[in-house]
Amino acid sequence: MRTRTQVGIIGAGPAGLLLQHMLARHGVDSVLVENRSREYCEKRQRAGVLEHGTVELLKEIGLGDRMMREGLLHSGIYLQFAGERHHLDFPSLTGGRTLTVYAQTEVVKDAIAAGHPIFFEVSDTAVRDIDTERPVLSFTDADGVAHEVECDAIAGCDGFHGVSRPSMPSLRVSERTYPFGWLGILATVPPSTDELIYAHSPHGFAMHSMRSPEVSRLYIQVDPDEKIDDWSDARIWEQLQIRLGHPGWTLNEGPITEKGITPMRSFVAEPMRSGRLFLAGDAAHIVPPTGAKGLNLAVADVKVLADALVRLLVEGKSDLADAYSETCLTRVWRSTWFSWYMTSMLHRFPVSSFSDPAEADFQEHLQIAQLRQVTSSEAAARNLAENYAGWPLP
């Protein structure tokens, strides 16, 4: 079946869904394809901390009503180390910017509910002719019907393992793999804290976050080769108690409903555009979750891309499209730096990652010194807060 649209979008994660919604508001037609089911997309657990700019954008494009009712407004984070716990107040450090805890799954549900056409459970997705003004998106739908969609542009929002990035003829890849991962859990228990806790510990990093007033999200640093089957619920809670423990504070425990191990890495592919194929979100870059940048970075990408495609396809001007990759990569590398900064400051690096075992002790002393600087210097605290709360969207 041969059809025609203005923009073909691959991937029904936040990037693809928000791009489709933003384009529709300007009268730009699109076709969105996703190889997973709708149920999978709406249940997939990912990020949950939204920057100030992301929140304002969702409100502006009409997808913020439920977020404003159910999201948890946060004014900062706690940094815990050496038996101390310090709060960084973001509004006072950033001129009023705050955070909102609202799970990525909920953002996805809100965007799908907007009702734009989406093909779920597709297969054999491919792109071709990206160096022309009529690139083609092909796929087979859930009923086995083969489609060829002639487009004006194609947006690859299909994540690290998608088909879009391999379709780019020339890429420069920069990456770093960290010698640890995160074991994350969802627990049906009210959060034990009012703000996120980032804990540096001799036993390894830990983090206390939340998804709602009834559901907690917690993480511990583990070896990247660990098997989740080796981590019983009791062992997980024991390590969380050790790493997050603080005098006068109690960590609530409850039933664990989900757990998994995520590797920690940084990845940037550039350029983010080739001809009429544009990459956005995890298709082009991945950052460690320590700085809460992944989802917010994808939102920034599609804000730039939506503006560029509207200008190209509605106004007939290519200046924003031509600048797309450079515009996005400036923010991408800044976010990559901040994620590295938070990761390097808070995690315990294994002795095996150093050529000399004494360097591990040296590294830990540097981390404590850096944490003391952040929690005692207003300038250092402001730098962290401004980066964490996010910069204005382009």
Side-chain angles (χ1 to χ4, degrees):
M1 179 183 297
R2 183 102 178 173
T3 54
R4 171 98 174 88
T5 193
Q6 289 177 285
V7 181
I9 304 173
I10 310 173
L17 290 165
L18 293 180
L19 177 63
Q20 182 183 44
H21 185 74
M22 293 165 72
L23 291 175
R25 286 169 55 85
H26 291 275
V28 176
D29 294 330
S30 66
V31 169
L32 192 156
V33 300
E34 166 60 49
N35 65 349
R36 304 281 194 171
S37 68
R38 174 173 179 169
E39 180 182 19
Y40 177 89
C41 293
E42 293 185 336
K43 288 185 176 180
R44 174 171 46 187
Q45 291 294 329
R46 291 292 186 272
V49 179
L50 305 184
E51 294 176 359
H52 182 79
T54 298
V55 170
E56 293 304 307
L57 177 66
L58 291 173
K59 290 161 56 178
E60 177 187 331
I61 64 176
L63 293 179
D65 289 350
R66 193 162 69 92
M67 173 190 67
M68 296 307 294
R69 292 195 309 269
E70 301 177 11
L72 305 177
L73 186 66
H74 281 206
S75 63
I77 61 172
Y78 292 102
L79 292 177
Q80 180 173 313
F81 60 95
E84 306 170 10
R85 182 178 291 175
H86 301 263
H87 184 255
L88 298 186
D89 183 78
F90 286 3
S92 65
L93 293 165
T94 64
R97 279 179 280 167
T98 57
L99 308 167
T100 297
V101 173
Y102 189 66
Q104 175 174 313
T105 51
E106 307 309 316
V107 175
V108 167
K109 290 175 187 176
D110 294 342
I112 290 175
H116 305 298
I118 304 171
F119 288 87
F120 288 103
E121 299 182 77
V122 306
S123 58
D124 304 320
T125 306
V127 299
R128 70 170 191 270
D129 302 336
I130 63 172
D131 56 344
T132 73
E133 293 186 354
R134 292 291 183 270
V136 174
L137 168 63
S138 61
F139 63 95
T140 301
D141 67 25
D143 296 322
V145 177
H147 295 253
E148 285 199 345
V149 185
E150 184 183 89
C151 312
D152 295 312
I154 296 176
C157 307
D158 48 347
F160 182 79
H161 298 290
V163 303
S164 299
R165 191 178 64 258
S167 302
M168 303 277 275
S170 179
L171 284 174
R172 180 171 66 256
V173 171
S174 305
E175 56 187 323
R176 169 172 290 180
T177 301
Y178 294 90
F180 38 73
W182 272 15
L183 190 162
I185 66 166
L186 276 178
T188 307
V189 59
S192 308
T193 176
D194 59 334
E195 311 268 59
L196 278 66
I197 302 171
Y198 285 81
H200 175 280
S201 159
H203 302 276
F205 170 79
M207 179 180 176
H208 190 325
S209 183
M210 63 281 293
R211 286 293 179 266
S212 74
E214 297 80 30
V215 177
S216 296
R217 181 73 159 157
L218 302 105
Y219 304 90
I220 54 175
Q221 174 187 342
V222 297
D223 187 280
D225 298 323
E226 292 269 9
K227 305 299 182 186
I228 195 64
D229 291 342
D230 295 332
W231 284 86
S232 66
D233 291 5
R235 184 185 179 193
I236 292 171
W237 284 117
E238 177 187 30
Q239 282 299 309
L240 286 166
Q241 292 284 1
I242 291 172
R243 302 181 195 194
L244 287 168
H246 188 69
W249 178 82
T250 301
L251 173 64
N252 301 323
E253 297 186 15
I256 295 176
T257 58
E258 183 176 315
K259 55 185 173 181
I261 295 176
T262 302
M264 301 283 280
R265 58 186 173 137
S266 299
F267 175 92
V268 180
E270 48 189 312
M272 291 172 58
R273 175 206 178 185
S274 180
R276 288 293 179 97
L277 174 61
F278 301 80
L279 302 181
D282 285 0
H285 44 74
I286 293 174
V287 292
T290 326
K293 287 291 169 233
L295 170 59
N296 295 292
L297 199 51
V299 171
D301 285 350
V302 298
K303 169 64 166 61
V304 177
L305 184 53
D307 290 345
L309 291 177
V310 168
R311 189 162 174 84
L312 177 67
L313 303 180
V314 176
E315 302 176 23
K317 299 178 180 178
S318 66
D319 54 334
L320 297 184
D322 293 340
Y324 170 72
S325 182
E326 183 179 355
T327 301
C328 288
L329 284 168
T330 298
R331 193 184 192 96
V332 166
W333 276 112
R334 188 172 181 180
S335 297
T336 300
W337 166 80
F338 180 66
S339 300
W340 164 85
Y341 163 79
M342 292 286 286
T343 301
S344 301
M345 179 171 64
L346 290 162
H347 290 74
R348 185 175 180 83
F349 284 76
V351 174
S352 59
S353 63
F354 299 97
S355 57
D356 182 346
E359 292 183 26
D361 183 64
F362 184 78
Q363 170 76 9
E364 186 167 3
H365 279 83
L366 290 179
Q367 290 173 321
I368 296 298
Q370 190 170 16
L371 285 161
R372 291 202 187 284
Q373 174 76 357
V374 169
T375 54
S376 62
S377 163
E378 183 176 336
R382 179 176 294 110
N383 180 56
L384 187 153
E386 288 181 342
N387 281 277
Y388 197 109
W391 319 283
L393 291 175

